[in-house]
């Protein structure tokens, strides 16, 4: 039985045709993956389904009942839809339980809301404390909260927009298991993801959008990662190679470094190498990266940390920490990079510089004065990388640099990081995608319970995963 169907849906934003006669449906008991590049129309289609925006044309059907679309997310929730957004919707100043109650529409606050939320959390088996303030949660835990918020209102149709973007491999497996269980109980799941292994692990069917048009829709029989990639971008991804570069002088050195109550750390990073950290959320990697980047030096409780300047930092959450989305691209590129020489800014020169960086880093934008909110996620991330590299850093620290990006945008960021290393920049990165760490890093470190361990070159994915969970590499 089809629970959700969108028929011949079209949507235009100004001169951009975001969706052009798109049809999509998902049945009870099914996981239907929705693929496409950033800006292909995936989120727009689901926002129309969830009542966040109205289509210019087309029909939305829920349980066989046709409408022109929901007037609001509240109306969509009443019809049995729940959505996990790519960007967080929780309110930082409220507790986990209060956020769940608000999302579910419960008439409960404070302790009552938290007790009821605790029951939902326990049913899902997720590590969330209902009385904890959301502003104290890590990005990974906030993502898990979004899933609980979507399910708390007894949704029959679950729309997931990049739900695993910040999860570790074991957490992704748990998430996909939860998704399959939900479908197995008769629910319908739409899974937007850029990770093709998740599609083949969890989906029954797949639909691919490119520039607002359906390019493929059907089962996964006969499909491969390469064929789906071609459908998404219209071509094969370019092959990249990792040329061996001899490391240069040491530019980051830690001696008996103590971060909070963690064990003492000793390490060095040389110019021209990429060091990747593999770790499950909450094992100290975030504190370490931010100490090296110089944004949380107060976390250092002892020892020495010497980092040659300048240092550039790519934070894990581009919309909360890296960009002011209401500001123009020019204003965002100025943030943290402008050298004050008096009270005046030559805005004409800064706009020209912005245009140069937009072209050099292939940021798809109509001009330097548009707000950052007008860019797709991939183009926002390329803008952040452009700003980081414009500082001509000796050290580049990157937290989850491709979170939520499609395969083509992620490949572009990967090449920028490799290019930085080829030009003598020391790159220290952590990614919640273990495959990304293994693909990029010249050296792999594992952090577990605050302790740092370097693994031998060429170590397998399984061994790294075991070490992340505290095991001893074989």
């Amino acid at each position: 039985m089809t629970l959700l169907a969108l028929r011949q849906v079209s949507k235009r934003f100004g001169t951009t045709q975001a969706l052009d006669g798109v049809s999509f449906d998902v049945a009870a008991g099914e996981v239907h993956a929705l693929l496409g590049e950033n800006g292909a129309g995936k989120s727009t289609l689901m926002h129309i389904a969830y009542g966040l925006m109205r289509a210019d044309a087309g029909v939305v059907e829920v349980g066989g009942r046709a409408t022109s679309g929901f007037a609001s997310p509240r109306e969509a929730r009443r019809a049995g839809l729940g959505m996990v957004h790519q960007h967080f919707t929780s309110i930082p100043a409220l507790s986990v339980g209060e956020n769940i109650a608000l999302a579910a529409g419960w008439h409960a606050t404070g302790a009552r809301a938290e007790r009821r939320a605790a029951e939902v959390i326990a049913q899902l088996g997720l590590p969330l404390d209902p009385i904890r303030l959301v502003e104290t949660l890590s990005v990974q835990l906030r993502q898990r909260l979004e899933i609980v918020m979507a399910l708390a209102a007894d949704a029959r149709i679950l729309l997931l927009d990049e739900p695993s973007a910040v999860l570790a491999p074991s957490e992704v497996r748990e998430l996909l298991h939860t998704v399959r269980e939900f479908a197995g109980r008769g629910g319908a799941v739409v899974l937007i993801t850029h990770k093709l292994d998740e599609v083949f692990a969890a989906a029954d069917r797949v639909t691919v959008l490119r520039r607002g048009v359906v390019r493929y829709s059907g089962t996964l029989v006969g499909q491969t990662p390469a064929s789906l990639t071609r459908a998404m971008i219209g071509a094969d991804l370019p092959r990249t190679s990792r040329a061996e570069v001899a490391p240069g002088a040491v530019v980051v050195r830690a001696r008996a470094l103590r971060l909070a109550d963690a064990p003492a750390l000793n390490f060095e990073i040389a110019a021209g190498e990429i060091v990747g950290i593999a770790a499950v959320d909450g094992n100290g990697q975030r504190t370490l990266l931010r100490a090296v980047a110089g944004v949380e030096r107060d976390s250092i409780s002892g020892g020495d940390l010497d980092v040659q300047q300048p240092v550039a930092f790519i934070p894990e959450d581009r919309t909360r920490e890296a960009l002011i989305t209401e500001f123009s691209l020019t204003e965002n590129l100025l943030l943290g990079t402008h050298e004050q020489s008096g009270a005046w800014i030559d805005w004409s020169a800064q706009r020209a510089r912005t245009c140069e960086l937009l072209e050099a880093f292939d940021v798809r934008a109509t001009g330097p004065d548009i707000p950052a909110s007008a860019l797709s996620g991939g183009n926002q991330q390329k803008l952040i990388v452009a700003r980081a590299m414009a500082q001509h850093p000796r050290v580049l620290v990157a937290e989850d640099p491709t979170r939520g990006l499609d395969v083509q945008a992620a490949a572009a960021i990967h090449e920028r990081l490799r290019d930085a290393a080829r030009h003598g920049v020391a790159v220290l990165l952590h990614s919640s995608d273990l495959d990304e760490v293994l693909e990029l890093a010249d050296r792999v470190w594992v952090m577990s319970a605050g302790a740092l361990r370097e693994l031998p070159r060429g170590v397998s994915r399984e061994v790294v995963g075991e070490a992340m969970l505290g095991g001893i590499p074989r």
Side-chain angles (χ1 to χ4, degrees):
M1 175 185 176
T2 298
L3 292 187
L4 172 68
L6 297 102
R7 313 287 189 197
Q8 294 297 309
V9 172
S10 295
K11 181 68 178 179
R12 178 182 289 272
F13 298 100
T15 60
T16 301
Q17 187 71 48
L19 296 171
D20 189 4
V22 172
S23 293
F24 178 92
D25 63 78
V26 59
E30 179 183 50
V31 177
H32 192 153
L34 183 58
L35 304 181
E37 294 182 88
N38 291 106
K42 309 180 302 299
S43 294
T44 298
L45 186 65
M46 290 302 101
H47 287 171
I48 290 171
Y50 195 58
L52 285 165
M53 61 179 65
R54 299 299 290 266
D56 299 330
V59 173
V60 178
E61 296 179 5
V62 176
R65 182 180 177 183
T67 71
S68 60
F70 296 112
S72 68
R74 176 179 293 182
E75 190 175 300
R77 287 194 294 271
R78 287 174 180 163
L81 278 75
M83 186 168 185
V84 175
H85 301 268
Q86 185 173 356
H87 301 302
F88 300 140
T89 60
S90 55
I91 300 173
L94 298 182
S95 71
V96 167
E98 289 169 331
N99 271 281
I100 293 171
L102 187 63
W106 299 337
H107 296 293
T109 58
R112 284 182 59 209
E114 287 157 0
R115 283 195 299 270
R116 191 168 174 182
E119 296 174 2
V120 176
I121 292 168
Q123 290 172 3
L124 295 172
L126 295 178
L128 287 168
D129 183 349
I131 67 172
R132 188 169 170 184
L133 289 180
V134 168
E135 63 189 2
T136 68
L137 299 181
S138 66
V139 170
Q140 286 84 350
L141 288 177
R142 289 192 69 185
Q143 187 75 336
R144 290 181 167 207
L145 172 60
E146 295 290 324
I147 295 169
V148 179
M149 288 165 60
L151 291 175
D154 299 322
R156 295 180 301 136
I157 304 161
L158 193 56
L159 314 178
L160 302 177
D161 194 351
E162 297 289 345
S164 67
V166 296
L167 302 182
S170 59
E171 295 171 320
V172 172
R173 288 192 294 272
E174 292 172 8
L175 169 66
L176 297 181
H177 178 71
T178 300
V179 165
R180 288 299 331 173
E181 281 194 332
F182 178 80
R185 295 193 298 269
V189 180
V190 180
L191 175 63
I192 298 178
T193 182
H194 293 124
K195 299 179 180 180
L196 296 180
D197 57 338
E198 295 178 8
V199 175
F200 286 95
D204 302 292
R205 284 192 293 152
V206 61
T207 291
V208 179
L209 293 180
R210 187 167 80 246
R211 297 180 182 177
V213 176
V214 174
R215 303 295 179 173
Y216 174 79
S217 187
T219 69
L220 287 164
V221 176
Q223 296 296 320
T224 65
S227 68
L228 293 180
T229 297
R230 283 193 296 272
M232 282 191 286
I233 68 176
D236 292 318
L237 282 176
R239 294 181 179 273
T240 58
S241 60
R242 290 179 56 196
E244 291 292 331
V245 177
V250 172
V251 293
V252 180
R253 178 180 283 110
R255 291 287 179 267
L257 176 66
R258 289 193 174 274
L259 301 174
D261 298 324
L265 304 177
N266 296 280
F267 60 84
E268 294 180 347
I269 306 174
E273 69 173 345
I274 301 177
V275 175
I277 299 178
V280 176
D281 177 49
N283 277 273
Q285 72 274 15
R286 187 177 190 271
T287 303
L288 173 58
L289 265 69
R290 288 169 176 252
V292 173
V295 296
E296 289 188 6
R297 295 303 290 261
D298 57 351
S299 63
I300 299 175
S301 58
D304 297 309
L305 176 61
D306 180 27
V307 183
Q308 295 194 17
Q309 302 296 315
V311 179
F313 179 48
I314 301 173
E316 62 184 347
D317 193 327
R318 57 180 171 267
T319 58
R320 290 181 66 207
E321 298 182 278
L323 298 173
I324 300 177
T325 54
E326 296 84 3
F327 281 19
S328 71
L329 306 188
T330 299
E331 290 167 330
N332 272 287
L333 284 173
L334 274 172
L335 292 174
T337 64
H338 183 62
E339 295 181 4
Q340 294 292 340
S341 54
W344 300 101
I345 295 175
D346 186 342
W347 286 105
S348 178
Q350 293 300 330
R351 289 188 183 93
R353 176 174 175 269
T354 298
C355 289
E356 293 174 359
L357 287 172
L358 296 181
E359 181 177 0
F361 285 80
D362 191 31
V363 179
R364 311 283 176 86
T366 56
D369 297 321
I370 66 169
S373 60
L375 299 182
S376 68
N379 283 306
Q380 287 180 349
Q381 196 69 5
K382 286 191 281 187
L383 181 74
I384 295 163
V385 173
R387 182 177 64 195
M389 297 313 301
Q391 299 176 53
H392 304 291
R394 300 202 67 182
V395 178
L396 175 62
V397 179
E399 289 181 327
D400 253 331
T402 65
R403 177 190 170 214
L405 303 190
D406 61 55
V407 289
Q408 191 169 24
I413 300 297
H414 289 176
E415 188 56 28
R416 289 296 179 181
L417 296 177
R418 292 189 183 104
D419 187 60
R422 284 193 290 267
H423 285 83
V425 178
V427 179
L428 176 63
L429 74 91
H430 164 69
S431 174
S432 54
D433 185 344
L434 177 55
D435 292 323
E436 182 170 61
V437 173
L438 297 178
E439 179 183 348
L440 288 173
D442 300 302
R443 290 193 288 147
V444 174
W445 295 348
V446 168
M447 286 199 78
S448 179
L452 191 66
R453 176 191 309 165
E454 181 169 344
L455 299 186
R457 284 179 179 269
V459 68
S460 71
R461 189 180 193 278
E462 291 70 24
V463 170
V464 177
E466 182 180 347
M468 289 168 63
L469 297 175
I472 300 173
R474 294 164 290 186

